[in-house]
């Protein structure tokens, strides 16, 4: 199997621990379910992620160097 | 503004028949509408309790008159239940997923629990719950027997639109004949016979039993039947269809428990499934289906009323027949008819059902047709309305206007009004408007007194009324110069399709606009019409002026560069002015600049024959900001150098001042201001028009002709290509052509021929090009980027070239040839649409035909593209319309779900950011510019930068210490 996370076009996906999730939710003043979603079966999602977890995705950006996005893992 | 009613929330659900009866003002029992005296009949379709439409009559329910009474619903008691067409799919799903005996959902408790939690999750994640419902139905349908009462379940067949059957496979009545026939030997089908003994062995059934079955004395049970079917490979079953009447379905649905409905995502509080079968039909109020009185005094009823008449008539016949004890067949026919009328009352465009028609043959417009589609209630009446204070007329150009302005015909200006609140500062002005009356231009149409009375200003009363105008009144005055209005051209595909302009009132009947705003509107003057909207409150006017004015839209968010700039002759004009840098006398120079702010010429560039002269470059430089420095290459091909507001070299053409990214316009907009850019574009277009008029610029057929020897050279080039193609065809025919990798020999030949012909056209073009002078107007337009290309020119003068359909040479028409003029399988250039003549020389009839084929493809493509992209646009807008950038920078939809954590992932506006990678933002120079503008003296500037502490007298200890004072400057890392 190809490990897509090693591909240069796949941005970094990391699992966010609960404490940090709360901080993110507080910062944006949202419920967990109001985050963008990502399927658990998505090959870019870390293997240990379960549905209900939140992943942080860090993309390269021409204008801001890095763009950070949080997504809720769903079934 | 006043809100008639405030909406707290909207809930969708089914309505309980009891609620229909409760809200009904009256039961409707007669199909008649009016009696002979023209009065509405009691308990008829026009019963005065349903509301009134005739003025003077009083509503018998609320006592109000027509206009203030909104109308009231009535109801019809249906003689038999009928299915509501809007819910046929849901009815089918429920029939398939619930038990025919006990009504429970055919899922085990575990399955139910799972689907419930999936439903809950879908709701939490605001996903589509109907997917879960569909999955649950699919699962329940699999059950052969009800998990609760063990009743075997039947398949449900749905015959559109409203008929349902229970389907069961049962043993055919002719089973013995079928078996016997299959046991006979048949030579045609190459089948050997089978003896009863053999059959008994194969199927494991007693021989005696087999004989009984064969004689028809015994009906085989299911297992035996299947064994026989398998042994003889025949089908012994027939489908037994048992029609489910609406009353059966209603009884079935009444048994479905509330809890089971929840698993399917249906809230039984608001939607009991049996309510999908109508027993009571609500009758819409009279006000929703008003009758009209025709000129001849006859009444013409609304389509809905016609349909209701049908329903009541059939309903009555149904009841009469049932009471008279009519045979079941007749009752069923009437039931079906009632179903048809109720169905078409709700929706008259059901596939498979003939639409109910008017006497004239026109299909009736019933409930669903009132709502659906472009002209329906939602898209036609609610999202889109006809608007007041708007005008539409043909547009025409006026180069004397500023790009911010629009010329408004006086008759439009005196129809559209602006509200003036009369204060002590404008009372005289307001009185003068009223005094002028409604017909002479800066006048007024209405005044409004503080008590709310509106008075029309007429030619007769205007003098008198003007004297009465006092503080606190409102005057609706005509549009005058300087008012701000919104201007729009359809299709409104991007935000620059709607911009705010300042009014200039003008004679005649067209809207006038400066030609430089044609690109954003995509307008031309071949009959285009545009819309104007007069703004009606101060807030709107302020917003329009600050955000929507044309000069604020110079930069396009699509590509981050200017979309407004010089076009067409403006570009030819600046090219003529700067390309060869001609000399002008004082008179000429002043004439060129007469429409600009410049009224004093700079020092002359030199002297010629004792007269001072000015160059094109220095005249152009007069329009530039004094400190502008730029360097770029022009589309003409030379390098443009501007230093401190002086054009030192190069040609000013499309790349410098054009719309769609002209370098100078773009820089001025970004570096100076929108206002400076507006002035620049206005002045450039005026200067360019003066320049092109100074030199004179025209084009005629002789400008595309080339000398005879050039024509011969072109012919020779084409002749050479023909020869090479002949050689290619010969090699191909000899089977010696080598195919290119990945292509067949045929494709290779085709490609090589295309290549050769392409080259021939190009060399013809080059030959033609060589013979055009640099002063040829077509060449000037092509080089400067004003209009047309060198390709257009060579097609006019040299050779038109290969015509293509679907990217290939023309290959269609007759069998093995394109036209009957050619031999079959002729591969030559001329037989496949190569046009060797030029447009100027003229095409042969066959060339013309091929050319028309290629041209047609282009036309069809454009037509298809516009309709496709229009639909795509609508879908995109619908999908994105509820997304909004919040104050915290996130983009969210209406439910608060985050779509982007930062607008565009970087939080920047496309018009404020550099558009290309190699044209990066020069942060240092921007910072320097800001600092220069902000701080006059070096000391405060250094203090702001933190390199120098401000002097303080608070305490000696607060002063910078010696050691800090000499601290080396920290290098910033960018
Ligand atoms: Mg047009
Ligand atoms: Zn009423
Ligand atoms: Zn059951």
């Amino acid at each position: 199997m190809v490990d897509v996370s090693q591909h240069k076009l796949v941005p970094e996906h990391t699992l966010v621990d609960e404490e940090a999730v709360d901080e993110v939710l507080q910062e944006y003043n949202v419920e967990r379910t109001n985050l963008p979603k990502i399927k658990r079966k998505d090959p870019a999602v870390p293997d240990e992620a379960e549905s209900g977890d939140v992943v942080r995705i860090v993309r390269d950006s021409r204008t801001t160097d890095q763009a950070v996005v949080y997504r809720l893992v769903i079934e | 503004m006043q809100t008639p009613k405030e909406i707290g929330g909207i809930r969708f659900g089914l309505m309980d028949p009891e609620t229909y009866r409760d809200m009904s003002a009256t039961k409707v029992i007669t199909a008649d509408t009016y009696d002979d005296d023209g009065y509405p009949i009691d308990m008829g379709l026009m019963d005065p309790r349903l509301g009134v439409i005739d003025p003077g009559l009083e509503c018998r329910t609320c006592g109000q008159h027509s206009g203030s009474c909104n109308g009231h619903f009535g109801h019809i008691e249906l003689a038999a239940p009928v299915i509501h067409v809007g819910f046929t799919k849901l009815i089918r799903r429920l029939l398939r997923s619930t038990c025919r005996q006990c009504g429970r959902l055919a899922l085990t408790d575990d399955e139910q629990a799972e689907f419930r939690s999936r439903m809950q999750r879908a709701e939490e994640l605001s996903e589509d719950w109907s997917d879960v419902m569909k999955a649950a139905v699919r699962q329940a349908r699999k059950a052969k027997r009800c998990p609760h009462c063990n009743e075997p379940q039947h398949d449900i067949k749905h015959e559109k639109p409203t008929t349902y059957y229970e389907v069961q496979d049962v043993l055919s009545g002719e089973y013995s004949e079928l078996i016997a026939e299959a046991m006979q030997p048949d030579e045609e089908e190459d089948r050997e016979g089978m003896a009863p003994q053999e059959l008994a062995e194969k199927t494991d059934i007693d021989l005696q039993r087999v004989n009984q079955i064969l004689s028809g004395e015994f009906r085989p049970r299911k297992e035996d039947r299947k064994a026989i079917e398998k042994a003889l490979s025949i089908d012994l079953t027939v489908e037994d269809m048992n029609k489910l009447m609406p009353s059966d379905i209603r009884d079935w649905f009444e048994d479905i428990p509330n809890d089971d409905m929840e698993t399917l995502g249906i809230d039984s509080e608001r939607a009991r499934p049996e309510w999908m079968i109508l027993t009571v039909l609500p009758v819409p109020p009279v006000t929703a289906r008003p009758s009209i009185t025709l000129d001849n005094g006859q009444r013409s009823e609304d389509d809905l009323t016609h349909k209701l008449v049908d329903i009541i008539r059939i309903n009555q016949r149904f009841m009469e027949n049932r009471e008279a004890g009519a045979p079941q067949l007749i009752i069923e026919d009437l039931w079906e008819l009632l179903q048809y009328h109720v169905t078409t009352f709700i929706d008259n465009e059901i596939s498979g059902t003939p639409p109910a028609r008017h006497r004239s043959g026109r299909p009736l417009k019933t409930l669903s047709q009132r709502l659906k589609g472009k002209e329906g209630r939602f898209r036609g009446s609610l999202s889109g309305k006809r608007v007041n204070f708007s005008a539409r007329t043909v547009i025409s150009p006026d180069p004397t206007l500023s790009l911010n302005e629009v010329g408004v015909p006086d008759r439009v200006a005196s129809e559209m009004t602006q509200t003036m609140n009369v204060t002590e500062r404008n009372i005289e002005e307001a009185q003068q408007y009223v005094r002028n009356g409604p017909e002479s231009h800066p006048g007024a149409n209405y005044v409004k007194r503080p008590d709310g009375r509106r008075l029309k200003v007429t030619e007769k009363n205007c003098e008198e009324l003007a004297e009465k105008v006092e503080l606190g009144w409102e005057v609706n005055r005509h549009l005058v110069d300087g008012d701000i209005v919104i201007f729009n051209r359809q299709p409104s595909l991007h935000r620059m399709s709607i911009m705010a302009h300042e009014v200039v009132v003008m004679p005649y009947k067209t809207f006038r606009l400066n030609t430089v705003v044609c690109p954003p509107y995509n307008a031309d003057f071949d009959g285009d019409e545009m819309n104007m909207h007069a703004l009606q409150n101060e807030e709107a006017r302020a917003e329009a002026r600050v955000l929507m004015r044309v000069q604020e839209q110079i930069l396009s968010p699509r590509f981050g560069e200017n979309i407004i700039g010089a076009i067409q002759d403006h570009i030819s004009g600046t090219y003529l002015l700067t390309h060869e840098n001609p000399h002008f006398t004082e008179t000429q120079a002043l004439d060129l600049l007469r429409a600009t702010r410049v009224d004093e010429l700079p020092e002359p560039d030199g002297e010629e024959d004792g007269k001072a002269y000015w160059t094109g470059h220095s005249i152009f430089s007069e329009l530039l900001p004094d400190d502008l420095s730029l360097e770029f290459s022009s589309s003409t091909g030379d390098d443009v150098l501007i230093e401190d507001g002086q054009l030192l070299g190069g040609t000013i053409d499309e790349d410098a001042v054009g719309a769609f990214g002209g370098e100078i316009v773009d820089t001025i907009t970004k570096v100076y201001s929108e206002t400076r850019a507006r002035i620049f574009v206005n002045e450039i277009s005026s200067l360019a028009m003066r320049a092109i008029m100074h030199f004179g610029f025209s084009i005629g057929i002789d400008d595309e002709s080339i000398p005879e020897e050039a024509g011969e050279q072109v012919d020779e080039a084409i002749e050479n290509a023909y020869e090479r193609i002949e050689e290619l065809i010969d090699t191909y025919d000899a089977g010696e052509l080598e195919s290119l990798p990945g292509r067949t020999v045929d494709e290779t030949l085709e490609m090589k021929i295309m290549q050769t012909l392409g080259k021939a056209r190009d060399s013809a073009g080059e030959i033609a090009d060589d013979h055009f002078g640099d002063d040829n107007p077509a060449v000037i337009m092509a080089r400067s980027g004003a209009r047309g290309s060198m390709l257009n020119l060579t097609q006019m003068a040299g050779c038109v070239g290969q015509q293509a359909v679907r990217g290939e040479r023309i290959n269609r028409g007759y069998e093995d040839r394109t036209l009957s003029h050619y031999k079959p399988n002729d591969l030559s250039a001329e037989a496949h649409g190569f046009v060797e003549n030029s447009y100027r020389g003229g095409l042969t009839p066959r060339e013309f035909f091929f050319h028309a084929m290629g041209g047609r493809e282009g036309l069809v493509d454009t037509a298809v593209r516009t309709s496709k992209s229009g639909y795509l646009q609508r879908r995109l807008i619908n999908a994105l319309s509820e997304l909004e950038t919040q104050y915290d920078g996130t983009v969210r939809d209406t439910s608060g779900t985050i779509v982007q954590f930062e607008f565009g992932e970087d939080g920047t506006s496309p018009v404020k950011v550099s558009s290309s990678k190699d044209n990066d933002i020069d942060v240092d120079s921007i910072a320097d510019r800001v600092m220069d503008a902000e701080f006059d003296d070096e000391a405060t500037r250094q203090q702001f930068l933190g390199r120098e502490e401000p002097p303080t007298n608070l305490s000696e200890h607060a002063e910078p210490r010696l050691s800090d004072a000499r601290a080396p400057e920290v290098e910033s890392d960018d």
Side-chain angles (χ1 to χ4, degrees):
Chain A
M1 274 280 277
V2 181
D3 180 5
V4 292
S5 67
Q6 299 306 308
H7 195 281
K8 66 170 177 180
L9 290 178
V10 177
E12 188 191 332
H13 289 60
T14 45
L15 206 56
V16 188
D17 61 56
E18 278 308 298
E19 236 169 81
V21 171
D22 287 338
E23 260 171 52
V24 170
L25 296 182
Q26 203 147 45
E27 182 189 343
Y28 291 103
N29 190 24
V30 286
E31 299 292 318
R32 195 178 279 255
T33 51
N34 281 338
L35 295 175
K37 321 278 186 300
I38 189 167
K39 284 257 168 82
R40 196 180 52 78
K41 279 176 275 176
D42 192 304
V45 168
D47 290 335
E48 64 274 21
E50 281 168 31
S51 86
D53 287 345
V54 173
V55 288
R56 176 196 284 116
I57 301 160
V58 181
R59 289 199 184 86
D60 290 340
S61 160
R62 182 167 72 80
T63 40
T64 53
D65 292 338
Q66 287 194 326
V68 183
V69 166
Y70 297 92
R71 281 174 184 249
L72 176 69
V73 181
I74 57 165
E75 265 320 294
Chain B
M1 220 183 292
Q2 201 188 358
T3 345
K5 258 175 196 166
E6 211 165 292
I7 298 170
I10 297 179
R11 286 211 305 205
F12 292 98
L14 298 173
M15 228 195 299
D16 183 359
E18 257 339 289
T19 319
Y20 283 144
R21 291 190 186 103
D22 286 347
M23 66 184 232
S24 163
T26 179
K27 192 170 158 181
V28 179
I29 49 169
T30 42
D32 303 313
T33 49
Y34 295 95
D35 63 18
D36 297 337
D37 302 330
Y39 281 102
I41 292 172
D42 235 33
M43 299 188 87
L45 278 170
M46 290 293 167
D47 190 301
R49 276 171 291 210
L50 301 180
V52 281
I53 34 170
D54 313 87
L57 285 181
E58 204 174 77
C59 170
R60 293 246 307 268
T61 302
C62 65
Q64 288 174 300
H65 289 274
S66 76
S68 27
C69 165
N70 287 326
H72 314 275
F73 273 91
H75 78 279
I76 297 171
E77 289 285 347
L78 293 174
V82 288
I83 282 160
H84 189 306
V85 265
F87 299 101
T88 49
K89 258 206 189 124
L90 186 56
I91 292 174
R92 184 177 67 201
R93 284 194 186 127
L94 287 179
L95 288 174
R96 281 177 177 166
S97 59
T98 55
C99 170
R100 60 191 304 268
Q101 175 65 34
C102 66
R104 293 210 49 191
L105 194 57
L107 291 175
T108 62
D109 291 343
D110 290 348
E111 286 170 331
Q112 279 226 31
E114 201 217 308
F115 281 114
R116 254 169 220 243
S117 71
R118 273 178 66 181
M119 187 67 76
Q120 206 177 349
R121 202 156 44 235
E123 198 160 340
E124 274 168 15
L125 298 173
S126 53
E127 282 172 347
D128 192 0
W129 60 270
S130 66
D131 289 341
V132 184
M133 180 215 213
K134 279 176 208 156
V137 169
R138 233 176 288 129
Q139 179 71 29
R141 199 182 168 186
K142 283 185 198 152
K144 290 275 166 266
R145 278 168 183 278
C146 169
H148 307 285
C149 71
N150 212 26
E151 170 83 9
Q153 301 298 308
H154 298 161
D155 216 13
I156 299 290
K157 197 176 161 214
H158 180 194
E159 203 167 82
K160 278 177 181 159
T162 51
T163 325
Y164 297 90
Y165 296 97
E166 271 188 328
V167 185
Q168 236 178 323
D169 283 342
V170 292
L171 187 66
S172 160
E174 293 154 3
Y175 65 95
S176 53
E177 287 89 340
L178 285 171
I179 297 172
E181 195 189 331
M183 287 166 71
Q184 292 298 318
D186 189 333
E187 276 183 20
E188 258 175 55
E189 284 183 31
D190 197 21
R191 186 178 64 198
E192 284 176 38
M194 192 185 281
Q197 182 71 46
E198 197 184 337
L199 183 63
E201 274 166 28
K202 270 197 175 174
T203 55
D204 217 11
I205 308 174
D206 257 13
L207 180 57
Q208 200 186 348
R209 209 8 86 73
V210 171
N211 283 325
Q212 278 177 335
I213 291 170
L214 278 173
S215 63
E217 284 164 42
F218 187 84
R219 295 171 63 87
R221 258 191 273 273
K222 199 174 174 187
E223 297 77 43
D224 291 352
R225 187 196 83 209
K226 282 200 172 152
I228 296 169
E229 280 177 340
K230 202 177 161 206
L232 294 169
S233 59
I234 49 168
D235 184 7
L236 292 178
T237 59
V238 286
E239 278 191 346
D240 179 46
M241 304 234 288
N242 172 29
K243 187 173 168 190
L244 289 168
M245 300 311 283
S247 48
D248 303 332
I249 300 175
R250 205 181 141 84
D251 292 343
W252 178 333
F253 283 179
E254 273 172 359
D255 290 339
I256 304 178
N258 286 351
D259 285 352
D260 288 9
M261 301 288 308
E262 224 165 88
T263 313
L264 295 177
I266 299 171
D267 179 359
S268 13
E269 281 290 299
R270 281 182 243 158
R272 275 299 309 173
E274 62 268 22
W275 299 343
M276 293 187 289
I277 320 293
L278 299 167
T279 52
V280 182
L281 189 72
V283 175
V286 181
T287 42
R289 43 185 178 87
S291 58
I292 7 172
T293 318
L294 298 174
D295 293 337
N296 55 18
Q298 257 195 330
R299 271 184 189 274
S300 167
E301 297 298 340
D302 190 272
D303 285 3
L304 278 187
T305 311
H306 282 299
K307 208 60 238 178
L308 286 165
V309 168
D310 293 341
I311 292 173
I312 294 172
R313 289 225 172 102
I314 294 300
N315 204 39
Q316 262 169 350
R317 257 174 66 193
F318 189 103
M319 278 191 287
E320 284 159 13
N321 273 285
R322 196 168 47 188
E323 270 155 39
Q328 186 62 23
L329 219 62
I330 294 194
I331 295 286
E332 265 181 39
D333 275 357
L334 283 172
W335 200 341
E336 229 156 76
L337 206 54
L338 182 66
Q339 176 74 62
Y340 169 78
H341 284 308
V342 174
T343 301
T344 48
F345 172 69
I346 294 164
D347 187 349
N348 202 16
E349 277 170 1
I350 302 266
S351 59
T353 313
R357 287 174 192 281
H358 205 251
R359 252 170 312 190
S360 62
R362 163 183 71 85
L364 293 174
K365 230 180 151 201
T366 53
L367 286 178
S368 144
Q369 280 64 54
R370 285 191 177 196
L371 309 179
K372 267 185 198 158
K374 203 169 188 176
E375 258 103 65
R377 206 84 324 143
F378 295 109
R379 280 177 73 190
S381 320
L382 292 166
S383 315
K385 299 193 184 84
R386 289 174 173 270
V387 294
N388 286 328
F389 302 103
S390 66
R392 179 185 175 96
T393 182
V394 176
I395 53 167
S396 43
D398 187 339
T400 62
L401 290 174
S402 160
L403 58 82
N404 270 333
E405 291 173 327
V406 59
V408 178
D410 43 16
R411 63 197 79 195
V412 170
S414 8
E415 196 68 48
M416 314 271 99
T417 55
Q418 300 272 293
T419 307
M420 266 179 101
N421 293 305
V422 180
T423 65
E424 53 196 12
R425 267 159 291 139
N426 67 9
I427 182 156
E428 270 150 42
E429 198 187 338
Q431 283 175 330
Q432 187 56 50
Y433 283 126
V434 178
R435 197 169 296 124
N436 289 348
E439 268 160 47
S440 44
H441 169 60
N445 290 350
Y446 281 94
V447 293
K448 194 175 164 196
R449 300 195 311 211
D451 64 7
R453 269 288 291 273
R454 249 162 68 94
L455 303 171
K456 190 169 171 59
V457 182
T458 61
E459 284 302 298
K460 272 186 188 160
N461 72 0
C462 57
E463 295 279 348
E464 212 179 314
L465 212 50
E467 301 311 314
K468 288 189 189 153
V469 172
E470 277 175 40
L471 302 189
W473 284 43
E474 278 175 14
V475 171
N476 291 47
R477 49 145 254 249
H478 294 165
L479 282 184
V480 295
D481 290 5
D483 279 336
I484 195 125
V485 293
I486 282 174
F487 207 46
N488 157 239
R489 181 182 177 274
Q490 281 111 349
S492 314
L493 294 176
H494 58 189
R495 100 179 171 202
M496 291 81 76
S497 291
I498 305 179
M499 295 192 284
H501 290 248
E502 283 175 14
V503 169
V504 178
V505 181
M506 290 180 156
Y508 313 121
K509 292 182 177 173
T510 57
F511 285 133
R512 252 57 58 83
L513 39 106
N514 189 316
T515 47
V516 296
V517 294
C518 288
Y521 287 121
N522 190 22
D524 48 38
F525 304 107
D526 60 2
D528 290 24
E529 292 180 50
M530 284 180 72
N531 309 319
M532 191 200 85
H533 300 266
L535 296 164
Q536 290 304 307
N537 60 55
E538 235 25 91
E539 212 178 341
R541 285 188 278 263
E543 269 195 25
R545 199 174 283 278
V546 174
L547 302 171
M548 300 177 68
R549 206 147 57 115
V550 178
Q551 68 173 58
E552 313 298 329
Q553 312 292 330
I554 291 174
L555 297 180
S556 162
R558 189 169 83 213
F559 46 88
E561 291 177 338
N562 65 304
I563 189 170
I564 292 172
I567 53 168
Q568 316 249 353
D569 275 4
H570 302 148
I571 292 167
S572 305
T574 52
Y575 179 95
L576 292 173
L577 184 69
T578 55
H579 185 55
E580 276 162 359
N581 202 14
H583 296 178
F584 300 95
T585 64
E586 185 179 20
T587 328
Q588 289 170 333
L590 282 169
D591 183 57
L592 288 174
L593 290 166
R594 64 191 280 179
T596 69
R597 301 177 304 172
V598 182
D599 44 18
E600 253 169 67
L601 288 175
E603 287 299 305
D605 291 293
E607 246 179 65
E608 223 170 30
D609 308 332
K611 271 186 170 176
Y613 72 84
W614 284 263
T615 64
H617 283 177
S618 52
I619 290 173
F620 175 82
S621 301
E622 284 305 288
L623 305 183
L624 295 172
D626 287 338
D627 50 352
L628 180 75
S629 296
L630 260 181
E631 224 184 314
F632 59 91
S633 46
S634 67
S635 68
T636 316
D638 50 14
D639 288 323
V640 178
L641 179 65
I642 296 169
E643 249 168 43
D644 291 328
Q646 287 297 313
L647 173 63
L648 299 182
T651 309
I652 301 300
D653 56 23
E654 198 197 11
D655 280 357
V657 291
F660 303 108
E663 206 66 45
I664 302 177
V665 182
D666 189 43
T667 310
I668 292 180
T669 323
K670 284 173 180 159
V671 175
Y672 295 81
S673 68
E674 269 88 13
T675 307
R676 187 65 186 87
R678 180 249 298 165
I679 294 169
F680 180 72
V681 174
N682 278 337
E683 292 190 339
I684 279 294
S685 58
S686 318
L687 171 65
M689 292 324 293
R690 283 281 150 199
I692 203 169
M693 285 193 279
H694 170 86
F695 291 103
F697 196 79
S698 70
I699 190 165
I701 194 133
D702 283 345
D703 292 314
E704 285 78 48
S705 59
I706 47 173
E708 210 165 295
E709 74 263 22
E712 278 159 18
Q713 282 173 30
V714 170
D715 291 345
E716 200 186 307
I718 291 168
E719 206 51 55
N720 283 339
Y722 283 169
E723 268 165 37
R724 248 167 297 146
I725 287 165
E726 211 117 298
E727 283 164 26
L728 278 170
I729 294 172
D730 287 344
T731 359
Y732 170 80
D733 285 340
E736 285 160 14
L737 192 71
E738 264 185 51
S739 62
L740 290 167
R743 297 192 189 268
T744 64
V745 188
D746 288 13
E747 284 167 351
T748 310
L749 175 72
E750 202 60 24
M751 266 182 66
K752 290 204 163 158
I753 292 176
M754 289 273 270
Q755 249 170 26
T756 318
L757 289 173
K759 267 185 219 152
R761 209 258 328 265
D762 289 348
S763 56
E766 273 161 35
I767 295 161
D769 203 353
D770 288 344
H771 288 86
F772 286 126
D774 285 341
D775 58 346
N776 181 303
V779 172
I780 290 178
M781 290 197 286
R783 293 230 179 108
S784 64
R787 198 77 223 237
S789 60
M790 284 317 279
L791 177 70
N792 292 152
L793 201 45
T794 56
Q795 283 189 318
M796 288 191 271
C799 156
V800 173
Q802 180 66 49
Q803 298 302 304
V805 171
R806 301 193 144 205
E808 287 170 357
R809 296 206 297 167
I810 286 164
N811 285 318
R812 47 188 71 212
Y814 296 79
E815 218 170 285
D816 301 327
R817 51 184 172 172
T818 51
L819 283 174
S820 50
H821 307 73
Y822 302 108
K823 290 200 170 118
N825 297 313
D826 184 349
L827 285 167
S828 72
E830 58 159 345
H832 286 273
F834 183 75
V835 180
E836 61 170 42
N837 284 303
S838 64
Y839 285 124
R840 186 184 170 285
L843 275 58
T844 66
R846 277 169 278 163
E847 285 177 338
F848 184 87
F849 182 75
F850 291 131
H851 184 258
M853 287 175 79
R856 171 71 65 85
E857 192 192 28
L859 292 182
V860 170
D861 272 4
T862 359
V864 170
R865 233 195 342 264
T866 43
S867 67
K868 284 253 165 73
S869 72
Y871 181 51
L872 194 69
Q873 168 100 354
R874 200 182 128 66
R875 291 183 45 158
L876 263 177
I877 287 174
N878 284 339
L880 301 180
S881 63
E882 58 184 37
L883 303 190
E884 194 178 54
T885 309
Q886 309 293 323
Y887 281 106
D888 68 355
T890 58
V891 178
R892 305 188 190 205
D893 67 11
T894 41
S895 69
T897 299
I898 294 180
V899 176
Q900 285 178 342
F901 283 85
E902 191 90 34
F903 169 80
E905 296 203 326
D906 55 17
T908 51
S909 157
V911 296
K912 303 255 159 105
V913 101
S914 104
S915 47
S916 57
K917 205 166 188 176
D918 41 54
N919 188 9
D920 237 341
I921 318 163
D922 185 357
V923 178
D924 288 334
S925 74
I926 294 172
D928 284 346
R929 218 166 48 238
V930 172
M931 302 297 278
D932 283 344
E934 198 65 31
F935 301 106
D936 293 334
D937 65 310
E938 192 57 26
T940 42
R941 179 188 171 129
Q942 290 304 321
Q943 276 170 23
F944 176 81
L945 289 172
R947 289 173 193 154
E948 210 170 275
E949 294 283 336
T952 170
N953 60 359
L954 283 178
S955 151
E956 282 184 38
H957 297 281
E959 277 178 29
R961 266 165 280 162
L962 258 178
S963 54
D964 293 340
R966 300 268 160 80
E969 251 182 46
V970 184
E971 281 276 325
S972 124
D973 44 22
D974 53 9

